[in-house]
Amino acid sequence: MASNAAVPFWRAAGMTYITYSNICASMVRNCLKEPYKTEAISREKVHFSVSKWADGKPERPTVRTDQPE
Amino acid sequence: MGVLPGHMATIAELKPGVLSMHEGSDVKKYFLSSGFALIHANSVADIIAVEAVPIDQIDASLVHKGLAEFTQKLSSATTDLEKAEAQIGIDVHSALYSAITG
């Protein structure tokens, strides 16, 4: 039984807490002095590959990466 | 909120802002991008944040630029999501600004 308290504005706009928290972190990283900023930006880089499974077999993976090819 | 030994066990969600740790007369301040504070019954506190930076690593001119940029984005935002992102920008940069101006 949820209370009638107001939801946070980001949740009301359809954003999850993780999305909100990552956006906040990204903004803070962009406001740093050098050299801290370049270290922080490198922390933000992701590299992963996702495949959906259908009928017990993986389909073609999608790769999301910030690494230069 | 202030936490001293003997604080009630609490889980608190933290807004972007300053965490100051006092060890005797030594005070260390960090800016947290957002996160949680877990205070356990044995007076141990855990602070969880994605980014925690010492205040002197923050660049004032970038904060001003960001604040102006997101204030402008809020007025030109159309969808709920754009408005939420712009509002987050304003909240985070205002908190950064109060952190550097002490």
Side-chain angles (χ1 to χ4, degrees):
Chain A
M1 44 169 213
S3 72
N4 293 331
V7 291
F9 65 88
W10 40 268
R11 175 92 53 193
M15 210 184 274
T16 62
Y17 181 80
I18 295 198
T19 315
Y20 165 71
S21 187
N22 283 335
I23 291 178
C24 290
S26 172
M27 290 176 180
V28 171
R29 285 184 196 116
N30 284 330
C31 285
L32 298 180
K33 296 175 181 161
E34 294 294 351
Y36 311 110
K37 187 168 179 180
T38 29
E39 283 171 32
I41 301 287
S42 69
R43 268 206 292 278
E44 217 173 24
K45 291 198 193 299
V46 292
H47 177 91
F48 61 84
S49 137
V50 180
S51 4
K52 285 206 197 314
W53 288 72
D55 292 333
K57 283 195 292 264
E59 294 177 349
R60 204 174 151 62
T62 43
V63 179
R64 158 84 196 274
T65 177
D66 293 322
Q67 302 278 18
E69 289 303 330
Chain B
M1 61 182 293
V3 180
L4 290 171
H7 197 285
M8 183 77 131
T10 309
I11 301 179
E13 186 193 330
L14 303 175
K15 287 200 205 305
V18 176
L19 173 78
S20 41
M21 297 193 312
H22 299 242
E23 221 171 330
S25 50
D26 188 42
V27 182
K28 287 201 175 80
K29 290 191 179 181
Y30 295 94
F31 185 87
L32 305 179
S33 63
S34 67
F36 294 91
L38 307 179
I39 300 144
H40 305 288
N42 65 350
S43 289
V44 172
D46 292 314
I47 309 290
I48 298 138
V50 179
E51 284 291 332
V53 297
I55 309 279
D56 54 17
Q57 289 183 11
I58 301 172
D59 184 327
S61 59
L62 292 173
V63 174
H64 281 119
K65 204 161 71 98
L67 188 54
E69 187 192 324
F70 283 99
T71 314
Q72 203 275 316
K73 276 193 185 158
L74 184 59
S75 51
S76 66
T78 43
T79 66
D80 268 347
L81 192 57
E82 279 173 21
K83 286 188 196 146
E85 282 175 11
Q87 186 63 52
I88 295 173
I90 294 176
D91 287 347
V92 171
H93 287 89
S94 315
L96 280 163
Y97 183 71
S98 359
I100 45 185
T101 52

PDB file of all heavy atoms in Angstrom, chain A residues 7-15 23, chain B residues 73-74 76-88:
ATOM      1  N   VAL A   7       5.925  11.637  -5.741  1.00  0.00           N
ATOM      2  CA  VAL A   7       7.089  10.918  -6.263  1.00  0.00           C
ATOM      3  C   VAL A   7       8.125  11.938  -6.698  1.00  0.00           C
ATOM      4  O   VAL A   7       7.773  13.062  -7.038  1.00  0.00           O
ATOM      5  CB  VAL A   7       6.706  10.021  -7.465  1.00  0.00           C
ATOM      6  CG1 VAL A   7       5.858   8.862  -7.015  1.00  0.00           C
ATOM      7  CG2 VAL A   7       6.020  10.800  -8.545  1.00  0.00           C
ATOM      8  N   PRO A   8       9.421  11.541  -6.735  1.00  0.00           N
ATOM      9  CA  PRO A   8      10.435  12.482  -7.228  1.00  0.00           C
ATOM     10  C   PRO A   8      10.149  12.813  -8.695  1.00  0.00           C
ATOM     11  O   PRO A   8       9.601  11.980  -9.427  1.00  0.00           O
ATOM     12  CB  PRO A   8      11.739  11.681  -7.124  1.00  0.00           C
ATOM     13  CG  PRO A   8      11.452  10.546  -6.218  1.00  0.00           C
ATOM     14  CD  PRO A   8       9.994  10.277  -6.278  1.00  0.00           C
ATOM     15  N   PHE A   9      10.503  14.060  -9.110  1.00  0.00           N
ATOM     16  CA  PHE A   9      10.128  14.503 -10.454  1.00  0.00           C
ATOM     17  C   PHE A   9      10.698  13.587 -11.533  1.00  0.00           C
ATOM     18  O   PHE A   9      10.071  13.376 -12.571  1.00  0.00           O
ATOM     19  CB  PHE A   9      10.576  15.949 -10.693  1.00  0.00           C
ATOM     20  CG  PHE A   9      12.079  16.140 -10.682  1.00  0.00           C
ATOM     21  CD1 PHE A   9      12.820  15.990 -11.842  1.00  0.00           C
ATOM     22  CD2 PHE A   9      12.751  16.455  -9.511  1.00  0.00           C
ATOM     23  CE1 PHE A   9      14.197  16.148 -11.837  1.00  0.00           C
ATOM     24  CE2 PHE A   9      14.125  16.618  -9.488  1.00  0.00           C
ATOM     25  CZ  PHE A   9      14.846  16.466 -10.658  1.00  0.00           C
ATOM     26  N   TRP A  10      11.904  13.006 -11.288  1.00  0.00           N
ATOM     27  CA  TRP A  10      12.492  12.161 -12.319  1.00  0.00           C
ATOM     28  C   TRP A  10      11.743  10.845 -12.460  1.00  0.00           C
ATOM     29  O   TRP A  10      11.624  10.292 -13.548  1.00  0.00           O
ATOM     30  CB  TRP A  10      13.986  11.918 -12.052  1.00  0.00           C
ATOM     31  CG  TRP A  10      14.346  11.702 -10.629  1.00  0.00           C
ATOM     32  CD1 TRP A  10      14.737  12.637  -9.720  1.00  0.00           C
ATOM     33  CD2 TRP A  10      14.323  10.465  -9.917  1.00  0.00           C
ATOM     34  NE1 TRP A  10      14.959  12.059  -8.508  1.00  0.00           N
ATOM     35  CE2 TRP A  10      14.724  10.718  -8.595  1.00  0.00           C
ATOM     36  CE3 TRP A  10      14.008   9.139 -10.289  1.00  0.00           C
ATOM     37  CZ2 TRP A  10      14.822   9.730  -7.629  1.00  0.00           C
ATOM     38  CZ3 TRP A  10      14.102   8.144  -9.330  1.00  0.00           C
ATOM     39  CH2 TRP A  10      14.497   8.457  -8.008  1.00  0.00           C
ATOM     40  N   ARG A  11      11.214  10.330 -11.361  1.00  0.00           N
ATOM     41  CA  ARG A  11      10.426   9.100 -11.427  1.00  0.00           C
ATOM     42  C   ARG A  11       9.116   9.374 -12.154  1.00  0.00           C
ATOM     43  O   ARG A  11       8.636   8.562 -12.943  1.00  0.00           O
ATOM     44  CB  ARG A  11      10.173   8.573 -10.011  1.00  0.00           C
ATOM     45  CG  ARG A  11       9.276   7.386  -9.915  1.00  0.00           C
ATOM     46  CD  ARG A  11       9.937   6.031  -9.942  1.00  0.00           C
ATOM     47  NE  ARG A  11      10.982   5.804  -8.993  1.00  0.00           N
ATOM     48  CZ  ARG A  11      11.800   4.749  -9.081  1.00  0.00           C
ATOM     49  NH1 ARG A  11      11.649   3.888 -10.049  1.00  0.00           N
ATOM     50  NH2 ARG A  11      12.750   4.573  -8.198  1.00  0.00           N
ATOM     51  N   ALA A  12       8.559  10.563 -11.893  1.00  0.00           N
ATOM     52  CA  ALA A  12       7.295  10.926 -12.555  1.00  0.00           C
ATOM     53  C   ALA A  12       7.486  11.060 -14.052  1.00  0.00           C
ATOM     54  O   ALA A  12       6.558  10.834 -14.827  1.00  0.00           O
ATOM     55  CB  ALA A  12       6.777  12.248 -11.979  1.00  0.00           C
ATOM     56  N   ALA A  13       8.715  11.405 -14.489  1.00  0.00           N
ATOM     57  CA  ALA A  13       8.982  11.538 -15.925  1.00  0.00           C
ATOM     58  C   ALA A  13       9.373  10.212 -16.550  1.00  0.00           C
ATOM     59  O   ALA A  13       9.750  10.152 -17.714  1.00  0.00           O
ATOM     60  CB  ALA A  13      10.099  12.564 -16.150  1.00  0.00           C
ATOM     61  N   GLY A  14       9.331   9.125 -15.773  1.00  0.00           N
ATOM     62  CA  GLY A  14       9.605   7.802 -16.336  1.00  0.00           C
ATOM     63  C   GLY A  14      11.048   7.351 -16.204  1.00  0.00           C
ATOM     64  O   GLY A  14      11.434   6.342 -16.786  1.00  0.00           O
ATOM     65  N   MET A  15      11.854   8.078 -15.418  1.00  0.00           N
ATOM     66  CA  MET A  15      13.266   7.717 -15.270  1.00  0.00           C
ATOM     67  C   MET A  15      13.444   6.824 -14.047  1.00  0.00           C
ATOM     68  O   MET A  15      12.782   7.009 -13.045  1.00  0.00           O
ATOM     69  CB  MET A  15      14.034   9.019 -15.040  1.00  0.00           C
ATOM     70  CG  MET A  15      15.432   9.024 -15.551  1.00  0.00           C
ATOM     71  SD  MET A  15      16.224  10.562 -15.092  1.00  0.00           S
ATOM     72  CE  MET A  15      15.740  11.582 -16.425  1.00  0.00           C
ATOM     73  N   ILE A  23      23.125  10.117 -14.484  1.00  0.00           N
ATOM     74  CA  ILE A  23      23.126  11.454 -15.084  1.00  0.00           C
ATOM     75  C   ILE A  23      23.798  12.433 -14.132  1.00  0.00           C
ATOM     76  O   ILE A  23      24.643  13.248 -14.540  1.00  0.00           O
ATOM     77  CB  ILE A  23      21.690  11.908 -15.423  1.00  0.00           C
ATOM     78  CG1 ILE A  23      21.142  11.063 -16.567  1.00  0.00           C
ATOM     79  CG2 ILE A  23      21.654  13.381 -15.789  1.00  0.00           C
ATOM     80  CD1 ILE A  23      19.719  11.410 -16.944  1.00  0.00           C
TER      81      ILE A  23
ATOM     82  N   LYS B  73      18.037  25.000 -21.147  1.00  0.00           N
ATOM     83  CA  LYS B  73      17.402  23.767 -21.647  1.00  0.00           C
ATOM     84  C   LYS B  73      16.022  23.575 -21.035  1.00  0.00           C
ATOM     85  O   LYS B  73      15.112  23.068 -21.681  1.00  0.00           O
ATOM     86  CB  LYS B  73      18.256  22.540 -21.309  1.00  0.00           C
ATOM     87  CG  LYS B  73      19.344  22.288 -22.298  1.00  0.00           C
ATOM     88  CD  LYS B  73      19.968  20.908 -22.124  1.00  0.00           C
ATOM     89  CE  LYS B  73      21.148  20.774 -23.074  1.00  0.00           C
ATOM     90  NZ  LYS B  73      22.105  19.774 -22.674  1.00  0.00           N
ATOM     91  N   LEU B  74      15.869  23.979 -19.769  1.00  0.00           N
ATOM     92  CA  LEU B  74      14.568  23.784 -19.115  1.00  0.00           C
ATOM     93  C   LEU B  74      13.502  24.616 -19.812  1.00  0.00           C
ATOM     94  O   LEU B  74      12.385  24.155 -20.028  1.00  0.00           O
ATOM     95  CB  LEU B  74      14.647  24.145 -17.632  1.00  0.00           C
ATOM     96  CG  LEU B  74      13.360  23.887 -16.837  1.00  0.00           C
ATOM     97  CD1 LEU B  74      12.976  22.414 -16.910  1.00  0.00           C
ATOM     98  CD2 LEU B  74      13.510  24.312 -15.394  1.00  0.00           C
ATOM     99  N   SER B  76      13.485  25.482 -22.881  1.00  0.00           N
ATOM    100  CA  SER B  76      13.176  25.034 -24.241  1.00  0.00           C
ATOM    101  C   SER B  76      12.761  23.569 -24.277  1.00  0.00           C
ATOM    102  O   SER B  76      12.578  23.005 -25.343  1.00  0.00           O
ATOM    103  CB  SER B  76      14.390  25.251 -25.151  1.00  0.00           C
ATOM    104  OG  SER B  76      15.441  24.413 -24.726  1.00  0.00           O
ATOM    105  N   ALA B  77      12.608  22.932 -23.091  1.00  0.00           N
ATOM    106  CA  ALA B  77      12.276  21.503 -23.073  1.00  0.00           C
ATOM    107  C   ALA B  77      10.812  21.288 -23.416  1.00  0.00           C
ATOM    108  O   ALA B  77       9.954  22.075 -23.032  1.00  0.00           O
ATOM    109  CB  ALA B  77      12.565  20.924 -21.706  1.00  0.00           C
ATOM    110  N   THR B  78      10.542  20.193 -24.151  1.00  0.00           N
ATOM    111  CA  THR B  78       9.155  19.895 -24.520  1.00  0.00           C
ATOM    112  C   THR B  78       8.664  18.638 -23.806  1.00  0.00           C
ATOM    113  O   THR B  78       7.688  18.667 -23.086  1.00  0.00           O
ATOM    114  CB  THR B  78       9.014  19.702 -26.043  1.00  0.00           C
ATOM    115  OG1 THR B  78      10.113  18.905 -26.482  1.00  0.00           O
ATOM    116  CG2 THR B  78       9.009  21.029 -26.753  1.00  0.00           C
ATOM    117  N   THR B  79       9.372  17.507 -23.980  1.00  0.00           N
ATOM    118  CA  THR B  79       8.879  16.268 -23.360  1.00  0.00           C
ATOM    119  C   THR B  79       9.178  16.264 -21.862  1.00  0.00           C
ATOM    120  O   THR B  79      10.057  16.982 -21.387  1.00  0.00           O
ATOM    121  CB  THR B  79       9.568  15.038 -23.975  1.00  0.00           C
ATOM    122  OG1 THR B  79      10.955  15.091 -23.638  1.00  0.00           O
ATOM    123  CG2 THR B  79       9.417  15.022 -25.477  1.00  0.00           C
ATOM    124  N   ASP B  80       8.446  15.391 -21.136  1.00  0.00           N
ATOM    125  CA  ASP B  80       8.664  15.242 -19.690  1.00  0.00           C
ATOM    126  C   ASP B  80      10.107  14.843 -19.405  1.00  0.00           C
ATOM    127  O   ASP B  80      10.714  15.309 -18.446  1.00  0.00           O
ATOM    128  CB  ASP B  80       7.756  14.128 -19.147  1.00  0.00           C
ATOM    129  CG  ASP B  80       6.441  14.701 -18.658  1.00  0.00           C
ATOM    130  OD1 ASP B  80       6.362  15.938 -18.514  1.00  0.00           O
ATOM    131  OD2 ASP B  80       5.510  13.919 -18.412  1.00  0.00           O
ATOM    132  N   LEU B  81      10.637  13.954 -20.269  1.00  0.00           N
ATOM    133  CA  LEU B  81      11.992  13.456 -20.039  1.00  0.00           C
ATOM    134  C   LEU B  81      13.012  14.587 -20.173  1.00  0.00           C
ATOM    135  O   LEU B  81      13.917  14.733 -19.361  1.00  0.00           O
ATOM    136  CB  LEU B  81      12.292  12.334 -21.038  1.00  0.00           C
ATOM    137  CG  LEU B  81      13.547  11.526 -20.759  1.00  0.00           C
ATOM    138  CD1 LEU B  81      13.486  10.923 -19.373  1.00  0.00           C
ATOM    139  CD2 LEU B  81      13.701  10.417 -21.787  1.00  0.00           C
ATOM    140  N   GLU B  82      12.840  15.436 -21.203  1.00  0.00           N
ATOM    141  CA  GLU B  82      13.766  16.568 -21.386  1.00  0.00           C
ATOM    142  C   GLU B  82      13.688  17.502 -20.198  1.00  0.00           C
ATOM    143  O   GLU B  82      14.702  18.020 -19.724  1.00  0.00           O
ATOM    144  CB  GLU B  82      13.395  17.352 -22.646  1.00  0.00           C
ATOM    145  CG  GLU B  82      13.907  16.758 -23.931  1.00  0.00           C
ATOM    146  CD  GLU B  82      13.352  17.485 -25.146  1.00  0.00           C
ATOM    147  OE1 GLU B  82      12.917  18.647 -25.002  1.00  0.00           O
ATOM    148  OE2 GLU B  82      13.342  16.878 -26.225  1.00  0.00           O
ATOM    149  N   LYS B  83      12.445  17.741 -19.717  1.00  0.00           N
ATOM    150  CA  LYS B  83      12.285  18.640 -18.567  1.00  0.00           C
ATOM    151  C   LYS B  83      12.960  18.053 -17.343  1.00  0.00           C
ATOM    152  O   LYS B  83      13.636  18.759 -16.596  1.00  0.00           O
ATOM    153  CB  LYS B  83      10.794  18.855 -18.249  1.00  0.00           C
ATOM    154  CG  LYS B  83      10.095  19.737 -19.228  1.00  0.00           C
ATOM    155  CD  LYS B  83       8.684  20.069 -18.752  1.00  0.00           C
ATOM    156  CE  LYS B  83       7.869  20.609 -19.915  1.00  0.00           C
ATOM    157  NZ  LYS B  83       6.470  20.233 -19.858  1.00  0.00           N
ATOM    158  N   ALA B  84      12.803  16.733 -17.156  1.00  0.00           N
ATOM    159  CA  ALA B  84      13.425  16.094 -15.991  1.00  0.00           C
ATOM    160  C   ALA B  84      14.942  16.198 -16.073  1.00  0.00           C
ATOM    161  O   ALA B  84      15.600  16.536 -15.093  1.00  0.00           O
ATOM    162  CB  ALA B  84      13.006  14.631 -15.892  1.00  0.00           C
ATOM    163  N   GLU B  85      15.501  15.937 -17.275  1.00  0.00           N
ATOM    164  CA  GLU B  85      16.959  16.017 -17.419  1.00  0.00           C
ATOM    165  C   GLU B  85      17.446  17.435 -17.161  1.00  0.00           C
ATOM    166  O   GLU B  85      18.478  17.642 -16.519  1.00  0.00           O
ATOM    167  CB  GLU B  85      17.372  15.586 -18.827  1.00  0.00           C
ATOM    168  CG  GLU B  85      17.359  14.076 -18.995  1.00  0.00           C
ATOM    169  CD  GLU B  85      17.659  13.648 -20.426  1.00  0.00           C
ATOM    170  OE1 GLU B  85      18.080  14.509 -21.219  1.00  0.00           O
ATOM    171  OE2 GLU B  85      17.452  12.467 -20.725  1.00  0.00           O
ATOM    172  N   ALA B  86      16.726  18.428 -17.672  1.00  0.00           N
ATOM    173  CA  ALA B  86      17.134  19.813 -17.456  1.00  0.00           C
ATOM    174  C   ALA B  86      17.048  20.168 -15.972  1.00  0.00           C
ATOM    175  O   ALA B  86      17.933  20.837 -15.424  1.00  0.00           O
ATOM    176  CB  ALA B  86      16.264  20.751 -18.286  1.00  0.00           C
ATOM    177  N   GLN B  87      15.984  19.676 -15.309  1.00  0.00           N
ATOM    178  CA  GLN B  87      15.836  19.961 -13.872  1.00  0.00           C
ATOM    179  C   GLN B  87      16.968  19.311 -13.081  1.00  0.00           C
ATOM    180  O   GLN B  87      17.503  19.910 -12.147  1.00  0.00           O
ATOM    181  CB  GLN B  87      14.487  19.421 -13.376  1.00  0.00           C
ATOM    182  CG  GLN B  87      14.166  19.798 -11.944  1.00  0.00           C
ATOM    183  CD  GLN B  87      14.037  21.278 -11.771  1.00  0.00           C
ATOM    184  OE1 GLN B  87      13.304  21.947 -12.490  1.00  0.00           O
ATOM    185  NE2 GLN B  87      14.782  21.833 -10.829  1.00  0.00           N
ATOM    186  N   ILE B  88      17.357  18.088 -13.466  1.00  0.00           N
ATOM    187  CA  ILE B  88      18.480  17.430 -12.793  1.00  0.00           C
ATOM    188  C   ILE B  88      19.727  18.281 -12.967  1.00  0.00           C
ATOM    189  O   ILE B  88      20.496  18.506 -12.031  1.00  0.00           O
ATOM    190  CB  ILE B  88      18.737  16.013 -13.364  1.00  0.00           C
ATOM    191  CG1 ILE B  88      17.557  15.098 -13.090  1.00  0.00           C
ATOM    192  CG2 ILE B  88      20.006  15.417 -12.792  1.00  0.00           C
ATOM    193  CD1 ILE B  88      17.656  13.754 -13.765  1.00  0.00           C
TER     194      ILE B  88
END
